[in-house]
Amino acid sequence: MQIFKNSVILITGANRGIGKSLVKALLNNGAKKVYATCRDLNGMPEFNDSRVIPLELDITNDDQVALCAVAAPDTEILINNAGGVNPGNILEGNPIGMDKDMKVNYFGTIKMMRAFVPVLKKNTPAKIINIVSIAAYSPLPSIAGYAASKAALFSATQSVRIELAKEGITVHAINPGAIDTDMNKGSDWDMPHPDSIATKILAGVSEGQLDMIPDEMGQGMYNAWKEEPSKLSQIFSDLYHGKNER
Ligand SMILES: NC(=O)c1ccc[n+]([C@@H]2O[C@H](COP(=O)([O-])OP(=O)(O)OC[C@H]3O[C@@H](n4cnc5c(N)ncnc54)[C@H](OP(=O)(O)O)[C@@H]3O)[C@@H](O)[C@H]2O)c1
């Protein structure tokens, strides 16, 4: 994974789940420096590696985002991993949860891209890697606000890919299915460990994949969508209405 070797990467939500696994995979792949950011540095794991620079960062906080861009001026690869999910469907779900999902997943990630593009422009060839979700393709109503925020993020990711096409910054969208992290706590689905997903994400990006589904469940869902978008809606309808209810 030559692309990550000797690179300087900043990652959001690095304290747990996919973010933590990405930090470990980046270190294993010869990264020069990893700015590992999270909301509460007391919760940052010990990576026991001097290449890791921990930074405090809530991606909804304008001041922290701006400070972070100043503190990490050599960033060449920005990984927007931080995200949150609030349960609820469109008709009866709590609008506060929907608002939070939008603020973090969509507007928070946009804030990060806006703050870091000037940094990345100075450090080309550069990359933005956004962790989106298979729910960007079709909503699962039990987490409809999350799905909407990820659909919006997927759209923004593709827009920024075009906006930056001539600037030496490649923009990647990663759309996983269910991964075994706190986000799916309590689920009895058979899900891959985030360590294996992190390795696949780095491999896919290194191969130049701009749109990537790094897991089997997500790939199956994507294939159903590709055949006919209503087929993925049917999978989510079955999940929502009882068969294998989430
Ligand atoms: N797990 C899945 O099935 C799955 C599938 C598709 C996509 N994804 C996406 O993958 C990404 C990582 O999720 P995960 O599965 O690793 O979930 P996770 O274990 O719940 O981790 C979420 C991470 O995002 C951070 N975060 C939340 N809000 C934040 C904010 N405002 N500012 C900064 N950091 C914030 C959390 O920090 P705190 O510890 O401070 O809360 C945590 O580090 C998310 O974008 C998620 O939507 C996950």
Side-chain angles (χ1 to χ4, degrees), residues 29 41 53 61 73 106 121 129-130 133 149 176 186 197 238-239 242:
N29 281 285
L41 288 178
I53 316 287
N61 182 316
Y106 181 57
K121 276 186 181 169
I129 302 170
N130 287 345
S133 168
S149 71
I197 295 307
D238 290 346
L239 285 169

Side-chain angles (χ1 to χ4, degrees), residues 188-205:
D188 54 6
W189 288 350
D190 187 15
M191 295 173 284
H193 192 277
D195 282 355
S196 68
I197 295 307
T199 305
K200 283 191 181 154
I201 292 172
L202 299 196
V205 169

Side-chain angles (χ1 to χ4, degrees), residues 37-40 55-71 111-112 115-116:
T37 75
C38 73
R39 288 194 283 195
D40 178 2
L55 292 175
E56 185 183 20
L57 175 63
D58 179 332
I59 63 166
T60 66
N61 182 316
D62 289 311
D63 293 341
Q64 286 187 6
V65 169
L67 279 174
C68 213
V70 173
K111 268 188 220 303
M112 286 298 294
F116 271 87

Side-chain angles (χ1 to χ4, degrees), residues 6-79:
N6 292 324
S7 288
V8 179
I9 303 109
L10 185 137
I11 175 158
T12 62
N15 55 313
R16 59 193 173 99
I18 298 171
K20 177 180 167 190
S21 296
L22 280 167
V23 174
K24 291 190 289 178
L26 289 165
L27 295 172
N28 288 338
N29 281 285
K32 181 155 92 185
K33 192 190 284 183
V34 182
Y35 292 107
T37 75
C38 73
R39 288 194 283 195
D40 178 2
L41 288 178
N42 293 319
M44 187 68 89
E46 262 312 327
F47 290 107
N48 293 317
D49 194 306
S50 59
R51 291 173 292 166
V52 176
I53 316 287
L55 292 175
E56 185 183 20
L57 175 63
D58 179 332
I59 63 166
T60 66
N61 182 316
D62 289 311
D63 293 341
Q64 286 187 6
V65 169
L67 279 174
C68 213
V70 173
D74 49 350
T75 301
E76 298 164 311
I77 300 176
L78 167 67
I79 306 185

